[in-house]
Amino acid sequence: MILVPNRVQAEETVPVLADAAIVVDAETGQILYGQNDEAVLGIASMSKMMSEYLLFEAIEEGIVSWDDEYEVTDYSHRISQDLRLSNVPLRRDGSYTMKELYEAMAIYSANAATIGIAETIAGTEKEFVQMMNDKAKELGIEDAHFVNSTGLNNSFLLGMHPEGTGEDEENTMSARSVAILTKALLDDYPEILDTAKIPELMFREGTPDQIRMVNWNTMLPGMDHEYEGMDGLKTGTTDFAGHSFAGTAKRDGVRLIAVVMKAVDAKGEGSYQARFDATRALLDYGFEFQEAEIMKAGQQFMGQESLPVSKGEKDQVAIAVKEPVRLLAPSTQQEVYRTELELTAGTPLEAAVEEGQLVGKVRVLDSEGNEVEYLKGEKPAAVVATTETVERANWFAISMKGAVDFIKGLF
């Protein structure tokens, strides 16, 4: 048996000063800690992870290429000149490759560059926003509400915000959903980290438009708030969303995803420092967990080693866990994981029964009966299956058994 603190105890011991927070195992989606993680809040530039996902997908499908040139529009040009925002300068008569715009978006959170990518892929930002909302649903995210490609408040878009959205609307999602999006991006396009981990890069180096792009994620190695193993992914800051961050780090083969939303310091004030302090607390907590195998492949449930079979050469068929059941458990052991068999097949099973036939799944519970949580749609397939074949009995044997059972029933 594996010992582990339950989620309530964890919430009392992890000092996360934020409106919402979550840390998960990036491989399985196991939630190690959650705090108000289903509340829908502003996500600011963490929105750009969805824009990145759609860009990588468009590249993969051949809709655009990294070398495709974007012809600057009046919209993206005017936004790029707004010094209040994170931007790289775009010339009204200029053109920029998707690779250039992507690097500006991923490293420097450049807003006009993001709009340029959206317009290239979808024709208009309005159509791209529809793609963002559709993709969210496809990924199993039901609470996402995208109104633009950048995460800015629409009020910063100089009256050119996407048609059909409010003039002061902003993108929203829950911390759990941000974690789902982050995991999807890492699972499907892990090469995102090749760019996300770059501390700084010169945009259009050697030209009059060159600008030093310093990564807003200062938890990267060598930066002000460096954290061992940190290599991504996306910060976000607006008045509405506060100081937020979706970070990922890898140590000793374990990758974690941590999301903090509207982080504050001890005085209740938001800051860049606050969001990184909150992220550090989450990751420190998560890296105390270690992989544990709580059921081996072929292991049986005590007292439930078999299931009844009708019309078979045998009355019972043996069942066992098909694959090992593994999860992350903390090294400070306080409570006991236990497992339960949840049947998904009706009983008795009717012969013929094949070896390897799925009959149930494993539920993993803490000592208070709370099931270990995973991100939506990410729960591992811990299944229970038959371990032998039971052939169907011939008609005579079935008839004789039926007669015997009838006679028994009379007495």
Side-chain angles (χ1 to χ4, degrees):
M1 291 189 293
I2 304 300
L3 304 175
V4 40
N6 65 28
R7 188 166 171 178
V8 173
Q9 289 173 321
E11 288 179 355
E12 295 172 353
T13 59
V14 182
V16 181
L17 300 178
D19 278 10
I22 192 170
V23 60
V24 304
D25 175 16
E27 181 179 354
T28 66
Q30 179 190 346
I31 299 175
L32 309 182
Y33 167 79
Q35 173 182 304
N36 201 30
D37 54 273
E38 295 185 284
V40 177
L41 303 169
I43 57 174
S45 282
M46 293 191 297
S47 307
K48 293 184 174 77
M49 290 192 294
M50 181 61 83
S51 296
E52 290 169 338
Y53 191 100
L54 292 174
L55 172 60
F56 275 104
E57 186 176 64
I59 296 287
E60 183 179 50
E61 295 175 355
I63 295 171
V64 297
S65 75
W66 292 116
D67 295 328
D68 281 355
E69 298 271 345
Y70 167 67
E71 302 293 332
V72 177
T73 62
D74 183 58
Y75 177 28
S76 60
H77 172 254
R78 289 179 61 191
I79 297 299
S80 79
Q81 306 305 307
D82 191 336
L83 300 180
R84 298 172 299 170
L85 310 177
S86 181
N87 270 315
V88 293
L90 301 179
R91 291 183 176 271
R92 181 63 182 87
D93 58 352
S95 62
Y96 302 82
T97 67
M98 286 295 100
K99 182 71 176 298
E100 288 178 306
L101 297 181
Y102 161 66
E103 289 175 341
M105 172 175 66
I107 298 170
Y108 202 47
S109 199
N111 290 289
T114 305
I115 292 169
I117 290 171
E119 291 180 329
T120 301
I121 293 173
T124 66
E125 189 180 23
K126 174 187 175 182
E127 294 301 320
F128 189 79
V129 167
Q130 184 61 55
M131 293 173 63
M132 296 172 80
N133 285 305
D134 290 344
K135 181 58 64 176
K137 288 184 172 57
E138 185 181 318
L139 295 175
I141 299 171
E142 297 297 332
D143 59 18
H145 178 57
F146 291 104
V147 297
N148 60 52
S149 62
T150 60
L152 290 170
N153 190 286
N154 271 355
S155 63
F156 280 88
L157 299 180
L158 307 178
M160 295 180 286
H161 53 274
E163 182 184 350
T165 65
E167 62 182 18
D168 61 354
E169 276 195 282
E170 196 165 315
N171 298 342
T172 56
M173 199 187 295
S174 66
R176 183 176 296 211
S177 292
V178 172
I180 292 173
L181 173 57
T182 307
K183 185 178 186 311
L185 188 55
L186 293 174
D187 285 346
D188 297 342
Y189 305 107
E191 59 268 34
I192 180 71
L193 296 178
D194 294 338
T195 305
K197 68 183 180 183
I198 297 174
E200 65 176 76
L201 189 69
M202 194 68 74
F203 180 76
R204 293 231 150 169
E205 187 172 10
T207 75
D209 296 330
Q210 76 173 23
I211 182 172
R212 179 169 165 258
M213 300 187 297
V214 178
N215 203 313
W216 289 100
N217 175 13
T218 57
M219 294 187 79
L220 292 171
M223 301 191 77
D224 290 347
H225 304 96
E226 67 177 308
Y227 186 85
E228 181 187 349
M230 174 66 64
D231 53 5
L233 193 56
K234 195 69 200 72
T235 58
T237 310
T238 64
D239 290 342
F240 174 63
H243 292 78
S244 304
F245 182 40
T248 183
K250 186 175 183 179
R251 291 183 183 176
D252 300 324
V254 174
R255 177 172 292 283
L256 300 179
I257 294 167
V259 179
V260 297
M261 301 175 73
K262 214 161 191 178
V264 296
D265 59 20
K267 297 179 180 179
E269 298 175 354
S271 67
Y272 301 126
Q273 175 81 41
R275 72 177 168 204
F276 295 135
D277 285 346
T279 300
R280 184 180 302 275
L282 287 174
L283 292 174
D284 283 348
Y285 175 76
F287 280 123
E288 288 296 318
F289 284 62
Q290 299 173 352
E291 187 176 71
E293 185 175 280
I294 61 173
M295 291 194 78
K296 300 180 182 299
Q299 186 173 338
Q300 294 183 300
F301 287 86
M302 188 177 298
Q304 295 177 294
E305 294 86 354
S306 63
L307 292 177
V309 176
S310 67
K311 301 180 181 179
E313 292 181 346
K314 294 173 58 177
D315 291 336
Q316 299 283 323
V317 61
I319 62 172
V321 175
K322 189 174 177 123
E323 302 289 344
V325 180
R326 299 188 180 96
L327 45 65
L328 293 183
S331 54
T332 53
Q333 301 176 347
Q334 300 175 22
E335 297 217 1
V336 180
Y337 276 136
R338 60 187 175 87
T339 57
E340 286 185 354
L341 168 62
E342 181 179 327
L343 290 176
T344 56
T347 56
L349 302 174
E350 183 174 331
V353 177
E354 299 294 329
E355 181 180 352
Q357 186 171 320
L358 302 184
V359 296
K361 61 183 180 180
V362 180
R363 297 179 71 231
V364 183
L365 311 171
D366 64 26
S367 64
E368 296 188 1
N370 299 312
E371 187 167 9
V372 174
E373 290 189 84
Y374 292 81
L375 292 176
K376 186 174 182 181
E378 304 291 350
K379 187 171 182 178
V383 298
V384 179
T386 56
T387 61
E388 57 183 337
T389 296
V390 177
E391 300 291 349
R392 189 176 180 87
N394 60 47
W395 69 269
F396 179 75
I398 293 173
S399 298
M400 289 299 295
K401 186 177 186 307
V404 170
D405 289 344
F406 175 74
I407 292 171
K408 286 181 178 179
L410 294 176
F411 297 96

